[in-house]
Amino acid sequence: MNNQKPNIRDATVSDLENFVKTANQPSFRKSQIDQWLWQKNIDSFAQMTNLPSELRTQLQQHFELRNIQIHQYQISADKTIKFAFKLPDRHLIESVLIPTENRVTVCISSQVGCSLDCRFCATAKMKRIRNLYWWEIYQQVQFLQSKSFHYFQTPVTNVVFMGMGEPLMNFNNVISSLGLMTSTDGLNMSPGRFTVSTSGIPKLICRLADENTGVNLAVSLHSANQDIRKEIMPFSEKFPLVQLLDSLVYWYRKTNVKITFEYLVLKNVNDTMEDIYQLVDFCKKVPCKVNFIEYNPIEGDRFQEADWNIVEQYQKILLKHNIHSTIRRSRGGDIDAACGQLANKMGVTL
């Protein structure tokens, strides 16, 4: 028989309301409990100091309080900090705190491992063990908010679902975490500060559009040629570009939010003039911008970054066709914290 107590972080609103009522406590105690859980990030019921000791004892008897924990960290020469979090079942995930001149961005994970097989990504070489629970996603941001204040004396300004895993393959938990992160009961962050990055799963992009969350969407494109994209991202054979484009048109029609295309330019893969004009044609079909990202080598990968003049050529021709693009410089490459490098290889133990 399993006598394990329920995790209070999984308790529904009605669960907690009923618990407070059964404990013969006034209804406002439920809000106080929520504040301790979601705004103050405690790790024991004893820390709920504005609750009567009797109620704290009842909470302890009825619930477990499970948390993710910071397990290790590394600090890059550019001040990027990578954290390994240990989950309650002892699996590890990684998140990254990225300071720049005008903002602090956190890159968070949504799965232990990854469901997909993008060949340029170290996480994709890991087995997908499980999806993260919504509160495990939420707690990454909650912890990194406090670390941002500690290291940089400023709050987190942006959150990107670009860490380990494919966010849309953990749809319900991602949506639930966003709901609390943007709520006054949680982190009270603007939805526009969040970006969900996907490798491009058409049905789930449409589903995200229907949720009307107000978040931004980034799509790992890397080629507007189906055969080349399949070479870079084999899973995309199941999700042809024509289907992806239909879902992106639907996204924009529903949300009026431009799509960002993430784009690696790889030597002898997608670095020809034909590749450039195929991207131009694709971009003309839906309001978008293009982020060129630096290729970060991973062990066992055959890819090489294209010559820089090719990226400049891409940008020049996109601009000629009124398509905005930027170059996103990698951060934290010296500690394997850059895009595509998260694979649970860490250093300093806390």
Side-chain angles (χ1 to χ4, degrees):
M1 180 180 292
N2 184 3
N3 293 320
Q4 189 176 47
K5 291 181 286 189
N7 178 18
I8 194 170
R9 295 192 182 278
D10 288 324
T12 65
V13 172
S14 60
D15 287 338
L16 282 182
E17 288 175 344
N18 290 335
F19 172 80
V20 168
K21 184 177 180 180
T22 301
N24 295 315
Q25 294 289 328
S27 59
F28 69 82
R29 296 297 186 196
K30 190 265 183 187
S31 296
Q32 290 179 318
I33 294 169
D34 284 339
Q35 288 172 356
W36 285 110
L37 291 175
W38 308 118
Q39 295 178 358
K40 300 180 182 180
N41 200 24
I42 58 164
D43 53 24
S44 77
F45 294 113
Q47 292 173 286
M48 297 181 172
T49 52
N50 62 348
L51 300 184
S53 59
E54 180 185 3
L55 180 57
R56 281 179 273 165
T57 299
Q58 289 173 302
L59 284 165
Q60 179 73 43
Q61 292 171 342
H62 190 79
F63 293 108
E64 280 193 322
L65 176 56
R66 295 176 207 152
N67 292 295
I68 69 172
Q69 297 177 331
I70 295 176
H71 176 60
Q72 296 173 314
Y73 74 98
Q74 286 177 300
I75 302 177
S76 167
D78 64 20
K79 299 184 179 179
T80 295
I81 309 175
K82 180 172 71 170
F83 294 89
F85 287 102
K86 183 182 288 185
L87 308 178
D89 60 6
R90 304 187 68 78
H91 289 304
L92 297 177
I93 57 168
E94 293 181 344
S95 309
V96 187
L97 188 62
I98 309 165
T100 57
E101 185 176 350
N102 299 316
R103 63 177 61 183
V104 176
T105 299
V106 295
C107 176
I108 60 173
S109 295
S110 55
Q111 295 180 315
V112 182
C114 187
S115 298
L116 303 181
D117 57 3
C118 303
R119 287 180 170 156
F120 57 84
C121 181
T123 312
K125 297 182 182 297
M126 301 171 62
K127 179 182 177 182
R128 189 199 77 85
I129 296 172
R130 69 169 176 86
N131 288 336
L132 296 188
Y133 298 115
W134 71 268
W135 55 268
E136 292 171 326
I137 298 171
Y138 179 92
Q139 275 202 300
Q140 290 173 73
V141 182
Q142 194 175 34
F143 270 111
L144 296 184
Q145 177 78 283
S146 65
K147 294 300 179 183
S148 182
F149 280 114
H150 175 75
Y151 286 102
F152 310 121
Q153 296 75 54
T154 188
V156 166
T157 58
N158 297 80
V159 179
V160 294
F161 285 79
M162 294 183 183
M164 300 170 69
E166 164 56 58
L168 296 188
M169 298 293 282
N170 187 13
F171 193 91
N172 291 336
N173 284 301
V174 166
I175 294 299
S176 294
S177 70
L178 283 168
L180 189 57
M181 287 190 284
T182 57
S183 167
T184 54
D185 294 329
L187 299 178
N188 197 25
M189 297 181 68
S190 167
R193 299 285 187 176
F194 291 83
T195 298
V196 175
S197 178
T198 175
S199 294
I201 303 164
K203 288 184 179 179
L204 294 176
I205 290 172
C206 292
R207 189 176 168 194
L208 183 63
D210 290 338
E211 290 287 335
N212 193 30
T213 60
V215 302
N216 299 295
L217 179 69
V219 177
S220 290
L221 186 62
H222 309 306
S223 179
N225 177 292
Q226 179 63 31
D227 290 335
I228 295 173
R229 190 165 190 263
K230 183 175 66 176
E231 178 185 353
I232 301 170
M233 308 163 75
F235 83 92
S236 66
E237 181 175 13
K238 298 178 182 178
F239 306 107
L241 281 168
V242 63
Q243 293 181 16
L244 176 60
L245 180 60
D246 286 345
S247 72
L248 297 177
V249 170
Y250 181 84
W251 164 272
Y252 187 76
R253 188 167 69 244
K254 290 282 289 191
T255 68
N256 203 37
V257 175
K258 271 187 178 183
I259 297 103
T260 297
F261 289 127
E262 305 285 355
Y263 204 95
L264 286 167
V265 185
L266 301 169
K267 189 172 184 177
N268 298 325
V269 177
N270 61 349
D271 60 349
T272 69
M273 292 299 294
E274 183 178 6
D275 292 306
I276 296 174
Y277 279 103
Q278 285 176 332
L279 176 61
V280 168
D281 289 342
F282 194 84
C283 288
K284 284 182 176 180
K285 294 171 182 175
V286 64
C288 64
K289 62 179 180 179
V290 178
N291 265 356
F292 292 102
I293 57 179
E294 292 183 271
Y295 171 63
N296 301 299
I298 60 173
E299 187 176 346
D301 193 1
R302 65 177 179 81
F303 293 129
Q304 298 179 45
E305 189 168 48
D307 294 337
W308 199 246
N309 67 305
I310 301 297
V311 179
E312 293 175 340
Q313 190 82 327
Y314 259 103
Q315 281 203 297
K316 181 179 178 180
I317 295 173
L318 286 169
L319 181 61
K320 182 179 177 181
H321 291 271
N322 298 313
I323 300 165
H324 179 67
S325 67
T326 58
I327 295 173
R328 196 177 80 212
R329 300 292 185 184
S330 290
R331 302 291 302 270
D334 58 323
I335 58 170
D336 292 321
C339 184
Q341 291 186 319
L342 300 186
N344 286 339
K345 296 189 294 182
M346 289 293 287
V348 181
T349 301
L350 294 179

